[in-house]
Amino acid sequence: MQGQDGERDGRGAGNGGEPQAGTPAGTSAQAPACGSSAEVPAGGPAGAPDPEPRRGRPRSAAAERAILDAVIALLEAGEPLAGLSIERIARTAGVGKATIYRRWSGKEELFVDVVRDMEPTDPPVSGTAGLADLRVMLESLRTRGLAQRSSVLLVNIFAQMKSHPKLWEEYHGTVIAPRRVAMLEAVRRAVAAGELRDDLDVELIDDLFVGPMLVRTVHRPDAPLPDDLADRIITALLQGLAPAARV
């Protein structure tokens, strides 16, 4: 939230902001007193071009890590998502509220990044292959399912997210929807390459690939998730379920 960030930043480090770059903690960023030999006119030395305007402070990876870790620590301590405030998160992370608002517009965006941080990273795909990319993405679904099964915290977070429509909508729009788009594009590439039939609806084909993996990972938490599950799903779909013709 640019306007809000700007307003918060103007209050300085004493009110939740971050110290200006180059200013030691506990010191003032004001110019030296009049008469000091170090005094320089506001525009810089005579004849020197004006310095370029600052374009905002660079993001601190350490600060982002501290914020994500603070949310995870609070959730592990039993705090519900609905009960977490930006003030509490900032205090736990040891940063000002402005530091959080410069990175996330609100709690929903922050919580989605926390979930993404806890899940396995999406693997890269070629963007040019069809079935090969589909297999990579199906395997990613399997590994995320394994991660959720092994993390009581993730299970708890997803249960809470589904009871908060705004948060679930944010997660769906920024995480689930892009993954579905990527799958659909891979299906189209597979059809164009002659790897899949071209007389079926692309979304139906996508559902046929993703559906079995979602059933195993979401709807049947006790079902096995073997290493070769993605290959078995693809093979079954390509070969079909009809019995072999009798000779």
Side-chain angles (χ1 to χ4, degrees), residues 136-212:
V136 171
M137 287 184 271
L138 283 177
E139 173 61 13
S140 179
L141 279 175
R142 188 187 73 87
T143 56
R144 284 201 301 276
L146 286 171
Q148 290 179 24
R149 288 185 183 185
S150 63
S151 171
V152 175
L153 181 57
L154 269 177
V155 171
N156 184 30
I157 289 175
F158 274 105
Q160 293 187 62
M161 283 173 63
K162 291 177 182 178
S163 64
H164 293 81
K166 187 175 180 181
L167 178 53
W168 183 250
E169 181 181 351
E170 180 72 24
Y171 180 78
H172 190 280
T174 60
V175 179
I176 297 178
R179 287 172 179 164
R180 176 168 172 77
V181 169
M183 287 285 292
L184 285 169
E185 290 174 349
V187 170
R188 292 189 179 97
R189 291 195 296 271
V191 170
E195 296 174 312
L196 297 173
R197 289 170 53 175
D198 61 1
D199 60 336
L200 292 178
D201 178 69
V202 170
E203 293 201 3
L204 175 59
I205 297 176
D206 179 66
D207 290 343
L208 290 173
F209 279 105
V210 178

